[in-house]
């Protein structure tokens, strides 16, 4: 199904192809994978005890400290990156928003979107899989100051969805590439 819309100038008529529902749901799921870990980091940044002890920087996080601000900024950054997944199923992923300087209203090059999202997907899969494989080393969650019991389960449950982010983004990227390929 193809929908036509016209930008502010009548000369720039663009086509927008409606993505399949499964692709929209997959993009939304990809964007939501960052939420649990972000909420966990924000809770820790606000000073809520998350199970760390001893000299670990997470044991004594005080709101307003440099470390707490870093954790909040990291959460916001991850959420913004997660929301970019939605661009692969939204109009602004096919035509740059009008408020973008110089390129507003122009079509997003398919190669740019697919390359960016594809590399992002590969980077996410590498980071999350290597993080999962090293989760219980003595320098990380296997250390004596790391959370134990319920606190460890909560932290693990909050970070586990990140393992899905890369693969979900890859699926949506392929759907975008197929939908935007030139028609003959």
């Amino acid at each position: 199904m193809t929908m036509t819309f016209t930008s502010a100038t009548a000369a720039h008529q663009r086509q927008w192809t409606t993505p399949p529902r499964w692709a929209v749901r997959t993009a939304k799921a990809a964007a939501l994978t960052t939420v649990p870990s972000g909420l966990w980091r924000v809770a820790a940044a606000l000073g809520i005890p998350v199970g760390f002890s001893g000299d670990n920087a997470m044991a004594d996080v005080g709101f307003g400290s440099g470390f707490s601000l870093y954790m909040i900024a990291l959460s916001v950054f991850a959420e913004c990156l997660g929301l970019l997944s939605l661009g692969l199923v939204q109009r602004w992923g096919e035509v740059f928003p009008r408020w973008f300087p110089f390129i507003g209203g122009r079509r997003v090059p398919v190669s740019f979107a697919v390359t960016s999202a594809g590399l992002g997907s590969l980077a996410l899969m590498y980071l999350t899989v290597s993080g999962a494989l090293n989760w219980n080393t003595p320098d990380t969650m296997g250390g004596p100051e790391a959370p134990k019991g319920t606190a460890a389960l909560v932290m693990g449950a909050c970070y586990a969805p990140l393992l899905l982010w890369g693969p979900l983004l890859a699926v949506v990227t392929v759907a975008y590439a197929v939908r935007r390929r030139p028609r003959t």
Side-chain angles (χ1 to χ4, degrees), residues 48-163:
I48 297 170
V50 291
F52 285 92
S53 62
D55 292 332
N56 190 297
M58 294 289 293
D60 294 320
V61 176
F63 180 67
S65 68
F67 190 64
S68 74
L69 296 177
Y70 161 76
M71 289 175 37
I72 292 170
L74 177 61
S75 297
V76 169
F77 180 67
E79 299 304 322
C80 289
L81 288 178
L83 289 173
L84 283 176
S85 304
L86 299 176
L88 297 170
V89 295
Q90 297 292 322
R91 183 173 306 179
W92 54 268
E94 293 190 22
V95 178
F96 288 108
R98 303 254 336 125
W99 55 268
F100 272 36
F102 309 111
I103 59 173
R106 295 183 185 194
R107 290 187 64 76
V108 174
V110 176
S111 60
F112 170 74
V114 170
T115 301
S116 299
L119 290 174
S121 173
L122 289 173
L124 287 168
M125 286 188 267
Y126 172 78
L127 290 171
T128 56
V129 169
S130 65
L133 293 175
N134 294 308
W135 186 260
N136 282 321
T137 64
D139 293 334
T140 58
M141 295 303 293
E145 299 172 344
K148 306 290 184 246
T150 303
L153 287 173
V154 168
M155 184 180 178
C158 288
Y159 275 85
L162 290 177
L163 289 166

